[in-house]
Amino acid sequence: MPDLSSPQLSQLPPLQAIRVFEAVARHLSFTKAAVELGMTQAAVSYQIKVLEERVGSPLFLRRPRQIELTEAGQRLAPAVSEAFAILGQAYAAARGGADGLLCVTTVLTFASNWLAHHLGSFQMAHPALAVRLETSSRLTDFAREDIDLAIRSGGGKWPGLEAHKLLDADFTPMLSPKLAASIGGVKEPADLLRLPILDPGDVWWTQWFETAGVHAHDLATRPGSSMGAQAYEANAAISGHGVAILTRALFKAELAEGRLIQPFDLVGDDGHAYWLVYPEARRNVPKIRAFRDWLLAEIAC
């Protein structure tokens, strides 16, 4: 049991002031922090003043229409956020585990072609935990957004984040059987250049043709649409509008059902993969642990 007369504890500022500081530092806004905490802006300013007096230096730079953390504020903010995360973990554990709302952000193709087909089993195992999915390709700022986990493609090294590899983001051409038949079949890689190429500016095409030993100098000058997601390009390929370059693991059903064909075994790999990521300090939050353990087990099946 902690010694409540400990000098360290007695030197701590009021918890309310620390709580207000965490909210202001996260939002970089006195107004937004006040709304979140159900306080007036004047009360928020007072609590920050109390904390700054205890620290002995300003924690925020007040500028017209915005505020910034000072050097002292930048040192304090991560430790305060981690402390509140630890308190949240302990509270959730005391209540008995994973419940509430789990927010997951992921790229569109992984959401539509993998996660949507598997998420039902997670919901059945954790009926008290509601899942909110957001699709986005931008990087997530866990300190400022209400996001618990993210699924992203990349190299897997992001400072301060725990990362678990899910799938290799390899790539290979795919097209509809009907489009392949329109030129008497695709027998060698160069045959693909006789067909419309979806998103010809994609660097994956250049890498794949180079590996195949095919000169495709005109790719960059070809007219073509950039659809922004493999899911959209796959739908266009299934409809016979062109050849798409796609990640095999995300289109197993389309290949198995014959809606797409992979004409060559040659697969490109630039070292990227799909990863599950979340802040290291939140690794033991029950709802994060539950989703992580389920996802890694489901991917391994």
Side-chain angles (χ1 to χ4, degrees), residues 38 87-88 133 144 171 195 199 207 215 220 231 250 264 267-268 279 287:
L87 282 172
L133 282 182
R144 304 189 189 284
F171 47 91
L195 297 167
D199 197 358
Q207 293 175 10
H215 297 292
L250 298 178
F264 306 106
V267 174
K287 61 181 180 179

Side-chain angles (χ1 to χ4, degrees), residues 184-252:
V186 176
K187 301 178 178 63
E188 56 186 47
D191 290 339
L192 296 174
L193 297 174
R194 298 164 56 196
L195 297 167
I197 300 292
L198 298 172
D199 197 358
D202 189 333
V203 66
W204 280 1
W205 276 118
T206 303
Q207 293 175 10
W208 190 87
F209 276 120
E210 285 179 354
T211 304
V214 174
H215 297 292
H217 302 299
D218 70 329
L219 270 181
T221 61
R222 281 194 178 204
S225 300
S226 178
M227 300 183 185
Q230 290 190 54
Y232 298 144
E233 292 170 9
N235 285 337
I238 289 169
S239 299
H241 298 311
V243 188
I245 192 157
L246 307 169
T247 296
R248 295 175 302 168
L250 298 178
F251 297 94
K252 290 181 177 179

Side-chain angles (χ1 to χ4, degrees), residues 29 38 48 61 108 129 179 207 210 220 265 282 292:
S29 167
I48 295 299
L61 295 173
L108 185 145
L129 184 57
L179 183 63
Q207 293 175 10
E210 285 179 354
D265 293 332
R282 306 200 70 211
R292 175 193 66 214

Side-chain angles (χ1 to χ4, degrees), residues 15-276:
L15 181 60
Q16 177 72 340
I18 299 175
R19 181 167 173 254
V20 169
F21 169 75
E22 189 279 333
V24 176
R26 179 160 35 87
H27 291 294
L28 286 180
S29 167
F30 282 73
T31 303
K32 290 180 180 178
V35 171
E36 177 183 309
L37 298 172
M39 301 170 65
T40 65
Q41 189 169 338
V44 167
S45 296
Y46 173 76
Q47 292 296 334
I48 295 299
K49 183 180 178 182
V50 167
L51 188 58
E52 288 178 329
E53 288 177 352
R54 293 291 293 269
V55 171
S57 65
L59 298 172
F60 295 97
L61 295 173
R62 280 78 166 175
R63 302 187 186 281
R65 298 186 180 180
Q66 67 177 21
I67 61 171
E68 296 177 6
L69 285 163
T70 63
E71 186 176 341
Q74 291 173 5
R75 289 196 302 269
L76 184 60
V80 168
S81 296
E82 183 173 358
F84 275 106
I86 292 171
L87 282 172
Q89 294 169 20
Y91 177 66
R95 292 187 61 205
D99 61 2
L101 177 66
L102 179 75
C103 299
V104 182
T105 176
T106 178
V107 290
L108 185 145
T109 302
F110 191 92
S112 63
N113 286 49
W114 196 94
L115 200 52
H117 299 290
H118 295 260
L119 195 56
S121 67
F122 177 77
Q123 297 274 227
M124 290 179 65
H126 301 278
L129 184 57
V131 178
R132 187 183 77 203
L133 282 182
E134 294 184 2
T135 56
S136 172
S137 58
R138 63 177 176 78
L139 292 176
T140 301
D141 186 346
F142 287 99
R144 304 189 189 284
E145 300 178 61
D146 294 326
I147 298 295
D148 296 302
L149 308 107
I151 297 170
R152 289 289 181 268
S153 63
K157 294 188 183 298
W158 295 279
L161 299 182
E162 195 89 18
H164 302 272
K165 186 176 179 180
L166 302 176
L167 301 167
D168 287 321
D170 58 21
F171 47 91
T172 192
M174 299 184 196
L175 69 163
S176 71
K178 184 176 179 180
L179 183 63
S182 70
I183 59 170
V186 176
K187 301 178 178 63
E188 56 186 47
D191 290 339
L192 296 174
L193 297 174
R194 298 164 56 196
L195 297 167
I197 300 292
L198 298 172
D199 197 358
D202 189 333
V203 66
W204 280 1
W205 276 118
T206 303
Q207 293 175 10
W208 190 87
F209 276 120
E210 285 179 354
T211 304
V214 174
H215 297 292
H217 302 299
D218 70 329
L219 270 181
T221 61
R222 281 194 178 204
S225 300
S226 178
M227 300 183 185
Q230 290 190 54
Y232 298 144
E233 292 170 9
N235 285 337
I238 289 169
S239 299
H241 298 311
V243 188
I245 192 157
L246 307 169
T247 296
R248 295 175 302 168
L250 298 178
F251 297 94
K252 290 181 177 179
E254 291 81 355
L255 290 168
E257 295 163 6
R259 289 182 288 153
L260 286 174
I261 59 172
Q262 178 188 332
F264 306 106
D265 293 332
L266 179 64
V267 174
D269 184 355
D270 59 5
H272 284 191
Y274 288 92
W275 301 81
L276 175 69

